[in-house]
């Protein structure tokens, strides 16, 4: 997958290319990332990239022309490396919410290049958005100081879904949201906490030590259903449950009621 990012702070993207799973994915060529600094596309001695808003008001607005220069350069580079269509995305709070469905949509078009515009200040000249941007995407109902973190969130969530990126082939399918449910709880050593300053006594759920893989699968599915019911009932409202799932959830709900009463 090919990403080109328009940003005033290219070094921020080292967080993606220098660490963890996304670093390995970049090294093995699962994705390519190029950054373009609009400052390099200015024509004045001061390398100006912003100016005051017409009509007055606080803050500064990013100039359209350096951004257009950077976007055109990114498009040309993508075309030269064989990309048939570049999709131009502006990260902004007024965009479509980034959900797993949107991530899947992006992953399903690996032949498409993505150009991500990370804005700063009060935003960018509206004419640039109208004439260059295919789509706006938001990562949530809050305002960030710039689009860089949002662009990285988008890229991270897309890259981990690309074939061969996660070491354990099953991991991506088990993530929260993939089956329309939250992930189940996870445990590792030690098997038993004894009372201490750090923890109260608590054991790992015995089923996980049973070695019975079918039972473990059923327990995990039940926990996923239960957690989704408790924490994100909106997800259950849009997902049909199988007969087995309905039974598992009913048992979880009963157990929860018994705990409360
Ligand atoms: N830029 C500023 N806030 C943002 C948000 N919530 N999502 C995407 N881009 C943004």
């Amino acid at each position: 997958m090919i990403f080109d990012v328009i940003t005033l702070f290219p070094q921020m993207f080292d967080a993606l290319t220098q660490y963890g799973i996304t670093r390995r994915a970049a090294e093995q060529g699962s994705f390519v990332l190029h950054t373009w600094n609009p400052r390099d596309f200015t024509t004045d001695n001061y390398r100006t990239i912003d100016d005051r808003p017409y009509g007055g008001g606080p803050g500064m607005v990013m100039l359209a022309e350096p951004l257009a220069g950077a976007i055109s350069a990114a498009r040309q580079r993508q075309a030269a490396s064989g990309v048939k269509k570049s999709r131009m995305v502006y990260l902004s709070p007024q965009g479509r919410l980034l959900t797993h469905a949107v991530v899947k949509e992006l992953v399903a078009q690996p032949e498409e290049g993505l150009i991500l515009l990370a804005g700063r200040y009060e935003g960018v000249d509206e004419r640039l958005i109208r004439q260059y941007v295919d789509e706006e995407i938001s990562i949530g109902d809050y305002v960030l100081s710039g689009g860089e973190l949002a662009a990285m969130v988008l890229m991270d969530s897309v890259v981990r879904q690309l074939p061969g990126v996660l070491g354990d082939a099953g991991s991506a399918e088990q993530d929260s949201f993939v089956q329309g449910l939250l992930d189940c709880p996870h445990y590792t050593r030690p098997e038993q906490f004894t009372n201490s300053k750090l923890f109260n006594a608590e054991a790992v759920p015995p089923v996980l030590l049973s070695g019975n893989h079918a039972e473990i699968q059923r327990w995990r599915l039940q926990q996923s259903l239960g957690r989704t019911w408790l924490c994100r009932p909106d997800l259950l409202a849009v997902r049909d449950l199988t007969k087995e799932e309905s039974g598992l959830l009913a048992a979880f709900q009963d157990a929860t009621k018994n705990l409360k009463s």
Side-chain angles (χ1 to χ4, degrees):
M1 187 126 195
I2 298 188
F3 297 102
D4 283 76
V5 181
I6 317 298
T7 172
L8 287 169
F9 302 108
Q11 281 164 341
M12 284 180 75
F13 291 82
D14 290 353
L16 207 75
T17 55
Q18 301 298 312
Y19 299 93
I21 286 170
T22 48
R23 175 193 180 141
R24 204 178 55 216
E27 283 170 356
Q28 73 194 25
S30 298
F31 79 95
V32 175
L33 167 61
H34 277 268
T35 54
W36 303 86
N37 191 333
R39 237 180 248 291
D40 297 334
F41 295 85
T42 52
T43 47
D44 64 322
N45 288 340
Y46 298 102
R47 309 208 329 139
T48 310
I49 43 76
D50 61 351
D51 208 333
R52 289 189 302 272
Y54 279 120
M60 300 290 269
V61 177
M62 289 185 84
L63 294 169
E65 282 156 322
L67 292 175
I71 293 168
S72 302
R75 274 189 187 148
Q76 271 173 35
R77 203 201 64 79
Q78 290 201 345
S81 55
V83 170
K84 293 272 177 298
K85 185 184 178 308
S86 296
R87 181 159 163 173
M88 180 67 227
V89 174
Y90 174 42
L91 284 309
S92 86
Q94 60 267 10
R96 179 160 71 123
L97 191 65
L98 183 68
T99 61
H100 183 66
V102 175
V103 171
K104 274 202 315 206
E105 196 186 299
L106 298 173
V107 172
Q109 318 263 13
E111 71 291 346
E112 219 180 62
L114 276 180
I115 304 178
L116 305 177
L117 171 56
R120 283 270 151 180
Y121 315 116
E122 293 309 306
V124 312
D125 189 309
E126 190 65 22
R127 292 166 295 183
L128 184 282
I129 300 175
R130 242 197 316 272
Q131 296 185 30
Y132 281 82
V133 170
D134 296 316
E135 170 168 38
E136 294 182 54
I137 293 183
S138 164
I139 64 161
D141 290 345
Y142 40 82
V143 178
L144 302 166
S145 310
E148 284 80 5
L149 289 173
M152 282 190 268
V153 166
L154 184 150
M155 282 189 281
D156 186 296
S157 59
V158 167
V159 165
R160 62 182 283 108
Q161 298 294 328
L162 294 174
V165 166
L166 293 186
D168 174 357
S171 290
E173 283 87 70
Q174 281 172 24
D175 275 353
S176 280
F177 305 111
V178 172
Q179 312 288 340
L181 299 173
L182 299 180
D183 197 6
C184 64
H186 301 279
Y187 295 86
T188 185
R189 289 192 290 180
E191 218 174 286
Q192 173 81 48
F193 283 136
T194 46
N195 272 324
S196 71
K197 273 194 208 140
L198 294 177
F199 287 101
N200 295 327
E202 188 174 343
V204 169
V207 61
L208 297 178
L209 311 173
S210 68
N212 182 335
H213 291 293
E215 270 306 300
I216 293 170
Q217 275 312 103
R218 266 168 60 81
W219 180 85
R220 287 185 167 153
L221 176 58
Q222 183 175 48
Q223 292 293 314
S224 282
L225 289 158
R227 276 188 159 184
T228 312
W229 170 64
L230 288 171
C231 306
R232 291 291 306 275
D234 56 305
L235 295 177
L236 282 188
V238 295
R239 186 185 185 282
D240 290 328
L241 297 189
T242 64
K243 225 170 138 196
E244 187 200 8
E245 288 172 342
S246 299
L248 288 170
L249 179 57
F252 183 98
Q253 289 167 328
D254 277 350
T256 311
K257 271 182 215 132
N258 291 340
L259 271 182
K260 279 186 190 151
S261 57

